[in-house]
Amino acid sequence: MSSDEIEATSTRSTDFSTLGVHRESRMETKRRRQQGEEGSRRGSVASDGAIALEALDCTVCYHPLRPPVFQCAVGHVICSSCHDKLLNKNKCHACAITGGYNRCIAFDHILESVRVPCSNSFYGCTAKTCYHERDDHAKSCPHAPCFCPEDWCGFAGTNTALLRHLTAEHRLTATEFAFGHRFTLEVREGMQVLHKKKGSPLFLVKFMPVPPFGKAASVLCVDPHAVVGECKFRCQVDFHCRTMGWRQNSDFQIRSTTLSSGLPTEDGSYSFVMPNVSSNLPTDSSVIMCVTKITDDDGAWSDW
C-alpha cells in the first residue's frame, strides 16, 4: 500500500499566501491553533475517509504506535513498550484471550505508509511525516509560531515574521547582536527587540521605572519551542555611571516563552535594576549586554 493510497490530511485548510502570518484576536489565534492540533491528533483521516488516526494509537498508553507492533489472536494491538511491561504476556490485555502476542508486520508497514500534516500547517509548514514521528518534527518545526506580546494584537507567525511585525507595526527598536559578544543598548522606557542576523531567536528587553529604586529591566527569549521552566540562554548586564562613580553588573538566566498567553505578569522579580541618575548630571543612559547560550559545562563569566 503506497503513501498516496493512505494519506492523512488535516481538517484545517492552509493559506500559504500568508507565509505563516495571521492577524486576529489572541484568543481566536489560540483557538484556531488548538483546533488544528487536535484535528491532526484525533480527527485527521485519510483523504478518502479510510483511516482515523486514533486507530493508530496504542490501546494501552494511547500514544502513537510505532514499529514493532504486537497483536493478539483477535487483533488487539499494543506498542512494544507496553508489551514489555505486561506481567502476563500470554493473555490479551483487552479481550483476555490466551495465546500471547505476535509481531504484526502488516501493521508496521501501514504505520510507515501513513503521512500526517504538521500541526503548524496553518502557519505554512508543508511537511508530512509518519504519524509516530509527528511530535518529533513539531519540536523543531521552523514554522512553529510565536505571538505578539501586545494583548490587543492577535499576530502569530515565525520568529522572522514576528521581528518584521514588531518593527513595522509596533515601531519597536531592533538591535542585532551575536552570541558571546558585548553590545550597547540604550536605556529607554518601553520594549526593544534583540535579534541575530537570521532573525531567530528573538529577545525582548523591557525598561520600566520602579520608584523609588530606579529603572528595572526584564529580558525574555521568544522561542516557538519554549518549554515551561527551561532556560537556554544567559545574559550579563553592565551599568556604569562615571559621573556618580557607580558601577554594577549582573548575570542571570533568561526565561523562554512563545508569548501565547502574552507577556508574563510583572511580579517584581526583575532581571536587573539600575539606580536613578539625577537629570542634572550628564551621563550616558545605556547598558552593555552580552547574551550567551547555556551549555552543560557552563562555567564562570569572564571579568568585564
PDB file of all heavy atoms in Angstrom, residues 216-247:
ATOM      1  N   ALA A 216      14.107  49.412  36.082  1.00  0.00           N
ATOM      2  CA  ALA A 216      14.275  47.962  36.038  1.00  0.00           C
ATOM      3  C   ALA A 216      14.247  47.483  34.598  1.00  0.00           C
ATOM      4  O   ALA A 216      13.610  48.091  33.730  1.00  0.00           O
ATOM      5  CB  ALA A 216      13.180  47.276  36.847  1.00  0.00           C
ATOM      6  N   ALA A 217      14.925  46.386  34.370  1.00  0.00           N
ATOM      7  CA  ALA A 217      14.940  45.772  33.042  1.00  0.00           C
ATOM      8  C   ALA A 217      14.555  44.306  33.181  1.00  0.00           C
ATOM      9  O   ALA A 217      14.979  43.619  34.114  1.00  0.00           O
ATOM     10  CB  ALA A 217      16.317  45.888  32.403  1.00  0.00           C
ATOM     11  N   SER A 218      13.737  43.824  32.260  1.00  0.00           N
ATOM     12  CA  SER A 218      13.411  42.410  32.178  1.00  0.00           C
ATOM     13  C   SER A 218      13.759  41.917  30.784  1.00  0.00           C
ATOM     14  O   SER A 218      13.608  42.649  29.804  1.00  0.00           O
ATOM     15  CB  SER A 218      11.928  42.165  32.481  1.00  0.00           C
ATOM     16  OG  SER A 218      11.106  42.847  31.546  1.00  0.00           O
ATOM     17  N   VAL A 219      14.244  40.681  30.689  1.00  0.00           N
ATOM     18  CA  VAL A 219      14.681  40.115  29.421  1.00  0.00           C
ATOM     19  C   VAL A 219      13.975  38.773  29.233  1.00  0.00           C
ATOM     20  O   VAL A 219      13.959  37.928  30.130  1.00  0.00           O
ATOM     21  CB  VAL A 219      16.210  39.903  29.380  1.00  0.00           C
ATOM     22  CG1 VAL A 219      16.650  39.422  28.001  1.00  0.00           C
ATOM     23  CG2 VAL A 219      16.937  41.195  29.744  1.00  0.00           C
ATOM     24  N   LEU A 220      13.386  38.584  28.040  1.00  0.00           N
ATOM     25  CA  LEU A 220      12.697  37.342  27.699  1.00  0.00           C
ATOM     26  C   LEU A 220      13.198  36.831  26.357  1.00  0.00           C
ATOM     27  O   LEU A 220      13.496  37.627  25.458  1.00  0.00           O
ATOM     28  CB  LEU A 220      11.184  37.556  27.607  1.00  0.00           C
ATOM     29  CG  LEU A 220      10.386  37.721  28.896  1.00  0.00           C
ATOM     30  CD1 LEU A 220       8.937  38.067  28.552  1.00  0.00           C
ATOM     31  CD2 LEU A 220      10.435  36.458  29.732  1.00  0.00           C
ATOM     32  N   CYS A 221      13.284  35.525  26.225  1.00  0.00           N
ATOM     33  CA  CYS A 221      13.575  34.903  24.931  1.00  0.00           C
ATOM     34  C   CYS A 221      12.262  34.459  24.309  1.00  0.00           C
ATOM     35  O   CYS A 221      11.473  33.753  24.947  1.00  0.00           O
ATOM     36  CB  CYS A 221      14.509  33.710  25.110  1.00  0.00           C
ATOM     37  SG  CYS A 221      14.786  32.763  23.591  1.00  0.00           S
ATOM     38  N   VAL A 222      12.009  34.866  23.071  1.00  0.00           N
ATOM     39  CA  VAL A 222      10.806  34.452  22.356  1.00  0.00           C
ATOM     40  C   VAL A 222      11.169  33.235  21.518  1.00  0.00           C
ATOM     41  O   VAL A 222      11.849  33.336  20.499  1.00  0.00           O
ATOM     42  CB  VAL A 222      10.265  35.587  21.467  1.00  0.00           C
ATOM     43  CG1 VAL A 222       8.968  35.160  20.793  1.00  0.00           C
ATOM     44  CG2 VAL A 222      10.048  36.847  22.293  1.00  0.00           C
ATOM     45  N   ASP A 223      10.721  32.079  21.980  1.00  0.00           N
ATOM     46  CA  ASP A 223      11.123  30.805  21.389  1.00  0.00           C
ATOM     47  C   ASP A 223       9.878  29.993  21.051  1.00  0.00           C
ATOM     48  O   ASP A 223       9.092  29.662  21.942  1.00  0.00           O
ATOM     49  CB  ASP A 223      11.996  30.048  22.389  1.00  0.00           C
ATOM     50  CG  ASP A 223      12.493  28.708  21.855  1.00  0.00           C
ATOM     51  OD1 ASP A 223      12.182  28.373  20.693  1.00  0.00           O
ATOM     52  OD2 ASP A 223      13.186  27.995  22.603  1.00  0.00           O
ATOM     53  N   PRO A 224       9.662  29.651  19.773  1.00  0.00           N
ATOM     54  CA  PRO A 224       8.465  28.877  19.414  1.00  0.00           C
ATOM     55  C   PRO A 224       8.451  27.480  20.017  1.00  0.00           C
ATOM     56  O   PRO A 224       7.410  26.839  20.060  1.00  0.00           O
ATOM     57  CB  PRO A 224       8.543  28.807  17.880  1.00  0.00           C
ATOM     58  CG  PRO A 224       9.989  28.992  17.556  1.00  0.00           C
ATOM     59  CD  PRO A 224      10.508  29.945  18.595  1.00  0.00           C
ATOM     60  N   HIS A 225       9.607  27.002  20.482  1.00  0.00           N
ATOM     61  CA  HIS A 225       9.687  25.672  21.083  1.00  0.00           C
ATOM     62  C   HIS A 225       9.989  25.762  22.583  1.00  0.00           C
ATOM     63  O   HIS A 225      10.576  24.844  23.164  1.00  0.00           O
ATOM     64  CB  HIS A 225      10.756  24.838  20.374  1.00  0.00           C
ATOM     65  CG  HIS A 225      10.565  24.742  18.893  1.00  0.00           C
ATOM     66  ND1 HIS A 225       9.518  24.044  18.322  1.00  0.00           N
ATOM     67  CD2 HIS A 225      11.267  25.287  17.868  1.00  0.00           C
ATOM     68  CE1 HIS A 225       9.598  24.149  16.999  1.00  0.00           C
ATOM     69  NE2 HIS A 225      10.641  24.888  16.700  1.00  0.00           N
ATOM     70  N   ALA A 226       9.584  26.852  23.194  1.00  0.00           N
ATOM     71  CA  ALA A 226       9.862  27.066  24.610  1.00  0.00           C
ATOM     72  C   ALA A 226       9.187  26.010  25.472  1.00  0.00           C
ATOM     73  O   ALA A 226       8.059  25.592  25.209  1.00  0.00           O
ATOM     74  CB  ALA A 226       9.394  28.457  25.030  1.00  0.00           C
ATOM     75  N   VAL A 227       9.895  25.572  26.494  1.00  0.00           N
ATOM     76  CA  VAL A 227       9.368  24.635  27.481  1.00  0.00           C
ATOM     77  C   VAL A 227       9.313  25.358  28.819  1.00  0.00           C
ATOM     78  O   VAL A 227      10.285  26.010  29.217  1.00  0.00           O
ATOM     79  CB  VAL A 227      10.264  23.379  27.602  1.00  0.00           C
ATOM     80  CG1 VAL A 227       9.748  22.452  28.690  1.00  0.00           C
ATOM     81  CG2 VAL A 227      10.335  22.656  26.260  1.00  0.00           C
ATOM     82  N   VAL A 228       8.179  25.271  29.491  1.00  0.00           N
ATOM     83  CA  VAL A 228       7.999  25.977  30.755  1.00  0.00           C
ATOM     84  C   VAL A 228       9.102  25.577  31.737  1.00  0.00           C
ATOM     85  O   VAL A 228       9.358  24.399  31.959  1.00  0.00           O
ATOM     86  CB  VAL A 228       6.617  25.667  31.362  1.00  0.00           C
ATOM     87  CG1 VAL A 228       6.474  26.345  32.722  1.00  0.00           C
ATOM     88  CG2 VAL A 228       5.514  26.127  30.431  1.00  0.00           C
ATOM     89  N   GLY A 229       9.759  26.594  32.286  1.00  0.00           N
ATOM     90  CA  GLY A 229      10.798  26.341  33.283  1.00  0.00           C
ATOM     91  C   GLY A 229      12.182  26.111  32.707  1.00  0.00           C
ATOM     92  O   GLY A 229      13.156  26.035  33.461  1.00  0.00           O
ATOM     93  N   GLU A 230      12.279  26.012  31.382  1.00  0.00           N
ATOM     94  CA  GLU A 230      13.569  25.758  30.749  1.00  0.00           C
ATOM     95  C   GLU A 230      14.222  27.062  30.326  1.00  0.00           C
ATOM     96  O   GLU A 230      13.572  27.938  29.770  1.00  0.00           O
ATOM     97  CB  GLU A 230      13.400  24.839  29.542  1.00  0.00           C
ATOM     98  CG  GLU A 230      14.705  24.497  28.851  1.00  0.00           C
ATOM     99  CD  GLU A 230      14.500  23.625  27.621  1.00  0.00           C
ATOM    100  OE1 GLU A 230      13.609  23.933  26.815  1.00  0.00           O
ATOM    101  OE2 GLU A 230      15.226  22.635  27.481  1.00  0.00           O
ATOM    102  N   CYS A 231      15.516  27.192  30.601  1.00  0.00           N
ATOM    103  CA  CYS A 231      16.279  28.373  30.182  1.00  0.00           C
ATOM    104  C   CYS A 231      17.428  27.926  29.284  1.00  0.00           C
ATOM    105  O   CYS A 231      18.208  27.049  29.655  1.00  0.00           O
ATOM    106  CB  CYS A 231      16.834  29.118  31.399  1.00  0.00           C
ATOM    107  SG  CYS A 231      15.570  29.837  32.482  1.00  0.00           S
ATOM    108  N   LYS A 232      17.516  28.515  28.095  1.00  0.00           N
ATOM    109  CA  LYS A 232      18.540  28.142  27.134  1.00  0.00           C
ATOM    110  C   LYS A 232      19.655  29.173  27.034  1.00  0.00           C
ATOM    111  O   LYS A 232      20.699  28.895  26.434  1.00  0.00           O
ATOM    112  CB  LYS A 232      17.914  27.953  25.747  1.00  0.00           C
ATOM    113  CG  LYS A 232      16.846  26.878  25.673  1.00  0.00           C
ATOM    114  CD  LYS A 232      16.265  26.797  24.270  1.00  0.00           C
ATOM    115  CE  LYS A 232      15.186  25.745  24.155  1.00  0.00           C
ATOM    116  NZ  LYS A 232      14.595  25.684  22.793  1.00  0.00           N
ATOM    117  N   PHE A 233      19.425  30.371  27.606  1.00  0.00           N
ATOM    118  CA  PHE A 233      20.390  31.456  27.441  1.00  0.00           C
ATOM    119  C   PHE A 233      20.631  32.170  28.764  1.00  0.00           C
ATOM    120  O   PHE A 233      19.803  32.136  29.675  1.00  0.00           O
ATOM    121  CB  PHE A 233      19.883  32.463  26.400  1.00  0.00           C
ATOM    122  CG  PHE A 233      19.556  31.858  25.071  1.00  0.00           C
ATOM    123  CD1 PHE A 233      18.260  31.474  24.770  1.00  0.00           C
ATOM    124  CD2 PHE A 233      20.546  31.648  24.125  1.00  0.00           C
ATOM    125  CE1 PHE A 233      17.945  30.907  23.554  1.00  0.00           C
ATOM    126  CE2 PHE A 233      20.242  31.076  22.902  1.00  0.00           C
ATOM    127  CZ  PHE A 233      18.939  30.705  22.615  1.00  0.00           C
ATOM    128  N   ARG A 234      21.810  32.803  28.838  1.00  0.00           N
ATOM    129  CA  ARG A 234      22.152  33.641  29.975  1.00  0.00           C
ATOM    130  C   ARG A 234      22.502  35.027  29.471  1.00  0.00           C
ATOM    131  O   ARG A 234      22.906  35.210  28.318  1.00  0.00           O
ATOM    132  CB  ARG A 234      23.328  33.051  30.756  1.00  0.00           C
ATOM    133  CG  ARG A 234      23.057  31.685  31.330  1.00  0.00           C
ATOM    134  CD  ARG A 234      24.134  31.263  32.298  1.00  0.00           C
ATOM    135  NE  ARG A 234      24.107  32.105  33.490  1.00  0.00           N
ATOM    136  CZ  ARG A 234      24.806  31.823  34.582  1.00  0.00           C
ATOM    137  NH1 ARG A 234      25.572  30.749  34.621  1.00  0.00           N
ATOM    138  NH2 ARG A 234      24.744  32.602  35.634  1.00  0.00           N
ATOM    139  N   CYS A 235      22.369  35.996  30.362  1.00  0.00           N
ATOM    140  CA  CYS A 235      22.646  37.379  29.991  1.00  0.00           C
ATOM    141  C   CYS A 235      23.474  38.039  31.084  1.00  0.00           C
ATOM    142  O   CYS A 235      23.262  37.791  32.280  1.00  0.00           O
ATOM    143  CB  CYS A 235      21.334  38.149  29.811  1.00  0.00           C
ATOM    144  SG  CYS A 235      21.538  39.876  29.319  1.00  0.00           S
ATOM    145  N   GLN A 236      24.420  38.851  30.673  1.00  0.00           N
ATOM    146  CA  GLN A 236      25.195  39.665  31.601  1.00  0.00           C
ATOM    147  C   GLN A 236      24.997  41.127  31.222  1.00  0.00           C
ATOM    148  O   GLN A 236      25.077  41.498  30.043  1.00  0.00           O
ATOM    149  CB  GLN A 236      26.679  39.304  31.569  1.00  0.00           C
ATOM    150  CG  GLN A 236      27.483  39.974  32.678  1.00  0.00           C
ATOM    151  CD  GLN A 236      28.882  39.447  32.776  1.00  0.00           C
ATOM    152  OE1 GLN A 236      29.508  39.168  31.754  1.00  0.00           O
ATOM    153  NE2 GLN A 236      29.401  39.309  33.988  1.00  0.00           N
ATOM    154  N   VAL A 237      24.695  41.938  32.217  1.00  0.00           N
ATOM    155  CA  VAL A 237      24.426  43.358  32.006  1.00  0.00           C
ATOM    156  C   VAL A 237      25.391  44.169  32.857  1.00  0.00           C
ATOM    157  O   VAL A 237      25.604  43.865  34.041  1.00  0.00           O
ATOM    158  CB  VAL A 237      22.972  43.719  32.377  1.00  0.00           C
ATOM    159  CG1 VAL A 237      22.712  45.200  32.122  1.00  0.00           C
ATOM    160  CG2 VAL A 237      21.987  42.874  31.586  1.00  0.00           C
ATOM    161  N   ASP A 238      25.955  45.211  32.276  1.00  0.00           N
ATOM    162  CA  ASP A 238      26.881  46.092  32.981  1.00  0.00           C
ATOM    163  C   ASP A 238      26.399  47.527  32.863  1.00  0.00           C
ATOM    164  O   ASP A 238      26.151  48.024  31.751  1.00  0.00           O
ATOM    165  CB  ASP A 238      28.294  45.959  32.397  1.00  0.00           C
ATOM    166  CG  ASP A 238      29.284  46.821  33.137  1.00  0.00           C
ATOM    167  OD1 ASP A 238      29.444  46.616  34.357  1.00  0.00           O
ATOM    168  OD2 ASP A 238      29.897  47.703  32.515  1.00  0.00           O
ATOM    169  N   PHE A 239      26.220  48.183  34.016  1.00  0.00           N
ATOM    170  CA  PHE A 239      25.808  49.589  34.046  1.00  0.00           C
ATOM    171  C   PHE A 239      26.905  50.381  34.744  1.00  0.00           C
ATOM    172  O   PHE A 239      27.328  50.046  35.852  1.00  0.00           O
ATOM    173  CB  PHE A 239      24.486  49.742  34.801  1.00  0.00           C
ATOM    174  CG  PHE A 239      24.073  51.171  35.023  1.00  0.00           C
ATOM    175  CD1 PHE A 239      23.526  51.920  33.993  1.00  0.00           C
ATOM    176  CD2 PHE A 239      24.230  51.768  36.270  1.00  0.00           C
ATOM    177  CE1 PHE A 239      23.144  53.239  34.205  1.00  0.00           C
ATOM    178  CE2 PHE A 239      23.854  53.073  36.480  1.00  0.00           C
ATOM    179  CZ  PHE A 239      23.305  53.822  35.449  1.00  0.00           C
ATOM    180  N   HIS A 240      27.369  51.477  34.089  1.00  0.00           N
ATOM    181  CA  HIS A 240      28.456  52.277  34.640  1.00  0.00           C
ATOM    182  C   HIS A 240      28.141  53.756  34.464  1.00  0.00           C
ATOM    183  O   HIS A 240      27.983  54.234  33.336  1.00  0.00           O
ATOM    184  CB  HIS A 240      29.773  51.938  33.941  1.00  0.00           C
ATOM    185  CG  HIS A 240      30.957  52.599  34.560  1.00  0.00           C
ATOM    186  ND1 HIS A 240      32.181  52.721  33.919  1.00  0.00           N
ATOM    187  CD2 HIS A 240      31.112  53.209  35.779  1.00  0.00           C
ATOM    188  CE1 HIS A 240      33.031  53.353  34.704  1.00  0.00           C
ATOM    189  NE2 HIS A 240      32.410  53.662  35.833  1.00  0.00           N
ATOM    190  N   CYS A 241      27.988  54.457  35.589  1.00  0.00           N
ATOM    191  CA  CYS A 241      27.774  55.904  35.556  1.00  0.00           C
ATOM    192  C   CYS A 241      29.032  56.570  36.106  1.00  0.00           C
ATOM    193  O   CYS A 241      29.262  56.603  37.323  1.00  0.00           O
ATOM    194  CB  CYS A 241      26.559  56.292  36.396  1.00  0.00           C
ATOM    195  SG  CYS A 241      26.247  58.073  36.438  1.00  0.00           S
ATOM    196  N   ARG A 242      29.865  57.085  35.215  1.00  0.00           N
ATOM    197  CA  ARG A 242      31.129  57.695  35.635  1.00  0.00           C
ATOM    198  C   ARG A 242      30.888  58.929  36.491  1.00  0.00           C
ATOM    199  O   ARG A 242      31.654  59.232  37.409  1.00  0.00           O
ATOM    200  CB  ARG A 242      31.960  58.060  34.407  1.00  0.00           C
ATOM    201  CG  ARG A 242      32.447  56.860  33.606  1.00  0.00           C
ATOM    202  CD  ARG A 242      33.325  57.278  32.456  1.00  0.00           C
ATOM    203  NE  ARG A 242      33.855  56.131  31.728  1.00  0.00           N
ATOM    204  CZ  ARG A 242      33.206  55.505  30.763  1.00  0.00           C
ATOM    205  NH1 ARG A 242      31.993  55.935  30.401  1.00  0.00           N
ATOM    206  NH2 ARG A 242      33.743  54.459  30.159  1.00  0.00           N
ATOM    207  N   THR A 243      29.828  59.686  36.178  1.00  0.00           N
ATOM    208  CA  THR A 243      29.551  60.924  36.912  1.00  0.00           C
ATOM    209  C   THR A 243      29.269  60.625  38.381  1.00  0.00           C
ATOM    210  O   THR A 243      29.735  61.331  39.284  1.00  0.00           O
ATOM    211  CB  THR A 243      28.344  61.652  36.296  1.00  0.00           C
ATOM    212  OG1 THR A 243      28.574  61.840  34.897  1.00  0.00           O
ATOM    213  CG2 THR A 243      28.143  62.999  36.964  1.00  0.00           C
ATOM    214  N   MET A 244      28.523  59.576  38.635  1.00  0.00           N
ATOM    215  CA  MET A 244      28.191  59.209  40.011  1.00  0.00           C
ATOM    216  C   MET A 244      29.253  58.321  40.640  1.00  0.00           C
ATOM    217  O   MET A 244      29.254  58.101  41.856  1.00  0.00           O
ATOM    218  CB  MET A 244      26.849  58.456  40.033  1.00  0.00           C
ATOM    219  CG  MET A 244      25.656  59.269  39.620  1.00  0.00           C
ATOM    220  SD  MET A 244      24.148  58.248  39.587  1.00  0.00           S
ATOM    221  CE  MET A 244      24.089  57.660  41.287  1.00  0.00           C
ATOM    222  N   GLY A 245      30.176  57.803  39.793  1.00  0.00           N
ATOM    223  CA  GLY A 245      31.147  56.859  40.309  1.00  0.00           C
ATOM    224  C   GLY A 245      30.503  55.536  40.680  1.00  0.00           C
ATOM    225  O   GLY A 245      30.945  54.845  41.603  1.00  0.00           O
ATOM    226  N   TRP A 246      29.451  55.170  39.946  1.00  0.00           N
ATOM    227  CA  TRP A 246      28.680  53.969  40.264  1.00  0.00           C
ATOM    228  C   TRP A 246      28.809  52.959  39.136  1.00  0.00           C
ATOM    229  O   TRP A 246      28.660  53.286  37.967  1.00  0.00           O
ATOM    230  CB  TRP A 246      27.208  54.335  40.458  1.00  0.00           C
ATOM    231  CG  TRP A 246      26.317  53.161  40.788  1.00  0.00           C
ATOM    232  CD1 TRP A 246      25.706  52.331  39.915  1.00  0.00           C
ATOM    233  CD2 TRP A 246      25.979  52.696  42.084  1.00  0.00           C
ATOM    234  NE1 TRP A 246      24.991  51.371  40.564  1.00  0.00           N
ATOM    235  CE2 TRP A 246      25.137  51.572  41.918  1.00  0.00           C
ATOM    236  CE3 TRP A 246      26.291  53.119  43.389  1.00  0.00           C
ATOM    237  CZ2 TRP A 246      24.616  50.871  42.987  1.00  0.00           C
ATOM    238  CZ3 TRP A 246      25.762  52.408  44.451  1.00  0.00           C
ATOM    239  CH2 TRP A 246      24.931  51.300  44.244  1.00  0.00           C
ATOM    240  N   ARG A 247      29.086  51.708  39.545  1.00  0.00           N
ATOM    241  CA  ARG A 247      29.163  50.643  38.550  1.00  0.00           C
ATOM    242  C   ARG A 247      28.558  49.368  39.141  1.00  0.00           C
ATOM    243  O   ARG A 247      28.807  49.041  40.307  1.00  0.00           O
ATOM    244  CB  ARG A 247      30.608  50.382  38.137  1.00  0.00           C
ATOM    245  CG  ARG A 247      30.741  49.266  37.095  1.00  0.00           C
ATOM    246  CD  ARG A 247      32.139  49.191  36.529  1.00  0.00           C
ATOM    247  NE  ARG A 247      32.233  48.185  35.478  1.00  0.00           N
ATOM    248  CZ  ARG A 247      33.274  48.072  34.658  1.00  0.00           C
ATOM    249  NH1 ARG A 247      34.307  48.897  34.765  1.00  0.00           N
ATOM    250  NH2 ARG A 247      33.284  47.149  33.722  1.00  0.00           N
TER     251      ARG A 247
END
